[in-house]
Amino acid sequence: MTALLALPAFEDNYIWCYRGSNGASIVVDPGDAGPVLAAMADGLRIEAILITHHHNDHIGGLPALRAVFNGPVFGPADARISGIDRIVGDGDTVHTPGFRPFRVLAVPGHTRSHLAYTDDDVLFCGDTLFSLGCGRLFEGTPDQMLMSLDRLAALPDDTRVCCTHEYTLSNARFAVAAEPVNPERDRLIAEISALRATGQPSLPSRIGVEKACNPFLRSDHPEQLSGLARHLGYMPETRQARFSALRAWKDRFQ
Ligand SMILES: [Zn+2]
């Protein structure tokens, strides 16, 4: 049996722990060592660490964890990250005892060296795909981000999407503005509102759910994005232009 655990960190980060058949776990993006060390005191054993990108809320805990963990740390080739001993890139496979192989996907957009990892059952996508949203474009273009999201959207619908931030309810407000009529999305918002009201994570999501509900995966459904057309005063002709306009609007959305 495998199990997914989201350790809360900082304001709204999650550090995902994915337990393998041998009882040890893969830990993803330990921005803060504190919650991981506390989980280790409760019995968490680390098999490997995966890093998606260089932002400090994803790597800040690495030095302290290095003091207590000798196993492999996988991550992108990026001089801004120290503590990675297994550099991986697009098309590589991460082999870890107790787990199915993880494929590495380059998903530039939020940052230029951002990676995602998937075994087609779970997806660790860092700050690229969020439930009902996507990452800000700090180092990439809208076209790059759209291509990255297209790769994630092509994964099996049942793939569990393990995003690194609890942004879902705030993303939901924008999703409703961009796409006013989407009953499936409205059901999702009701579900996650109930989860959040009791302090539970809204995650993981599923790829199929995001394709049906997340406006950033729906730029090929212009008939649905009437909110975007109203906001701009016209509907952009290409899906690239629609995605770009959605991302720019979200950056300013209150
Ligand atoms: Zn980030």
Side-chain angles (χ1 to χ4, degrees):
M1 268 304 283
T2 54
L4 265 176
L5 175 67
L7 298 178
F10 307 117
E11 288 277 294
D12 51 28
N13 283 65
Y14 291 125
I15 300 169
W16 289 96
C17 302
Y18 185 39
R19 197 169 70 236
S21 60
N22 60 0
S25 294
I26 286 175
V27 173
V28 185
D29 285 353
D32 184 2
V36 182
L37 293 170
M40 291 173 82
D42 277 343
L44 175 79
R45 286 185 295 121
I46 305 180
E47 187 71 52
I49 294 175
L50 305 180
I51 299 294
T52 63
H53 69 292
H54 76 280
H55 285 156
N56 202 52
D57 62 319
H58 297 250
I59 65 171
L62 271 183
L65 291 176
R66 264 299 179 212
V68 297
F69 170 67
N70 290 323
V73 179
F74 297 88
D78 190 319
R80 298 171 293 186
I81 312 174
S82 55
I84 289 175
D85 53 12
R86 306 280 182 90
I87 300 287
V88 290
D90 192 56
D92 286 343
T93 304
V94 170
H95 293 278
T96 305
F99 293 86
R100 300 197 305 182
F102 272 82
R103 287 186 292 124
V104 181
L105 305 174
V107 285
H110 177 67
T111 68
R112 63 175 178 266
S113 62
H114 200 302
L115 300 179
Y117 303 86
T118 184
D119 63 357
D120 286 332
D121 177 26
V122 297
L123 166 69
F124 299 114
C125 52
D127 290 351
T128 297
L129 175 62
F130 294 121
S131 185
L132 298 180
C134 74
R136 282 179 184 267
L137 303 179
F138 288 118
E139 298 180 359
T141 65
D143 280 4
Q144 275 181 320
M145 187 59 137
L146 181 58
M147 275 191 280
S148 295
L149 292 173
D150 282 346
R151 298 188 74 186
L152 302 183
L155 296 172
D157 278 355
D158 282 344
T159 307
R160 289 176 288 177
V161 181
C162 302
C163 324
T164 320
H165 288 277
E166 182 61 66
Y167 288 161
T168 315
L169 280 183
S170 89
N171 287 339
R173 291 177 42 249
F174 179 77
V176 170
E179 183 179 6
V181 180
N182 184 331
E184 184 169 348
R185 190 265 333 275
D186 291 344
R187 279 194 296 277
L188 175 68
I189 294 174
E191 273 171 36
I192 61 177
S193 297
L195 286 170
R196 295 303 298 145
T198 56
Q200 298 174 72
S202 66
L203 304 166
S205 184
R206 302 244 179 207
I207 287 291
V209 169
E210 293 306 316
K211 287 188 332 198
C213 302
N214 185 332
F216 293 98
L217 299 187
R218 294 173 63 71
S219 54
D220 47 355
H221 293 287
E223 75 287 355
Q224 286 293 120
L225 298 173
S226 61
L228 178 65
R230 196 174 314 131
H231 170 72
L232 294 172
Y234 67 98
M235 177 57 77
E237 285 192 9
T238 66
R239 68 188 293 264
Q240 287 85 357
R242 289 189 286 272
F243 176 81
S244 181
L246 280 172
R247 187 58 263 181
W249 180 18
K250 175 72 159 58
D251 287 344
R252 300 185 308 276
F253 188 78
Q254 299 292 326

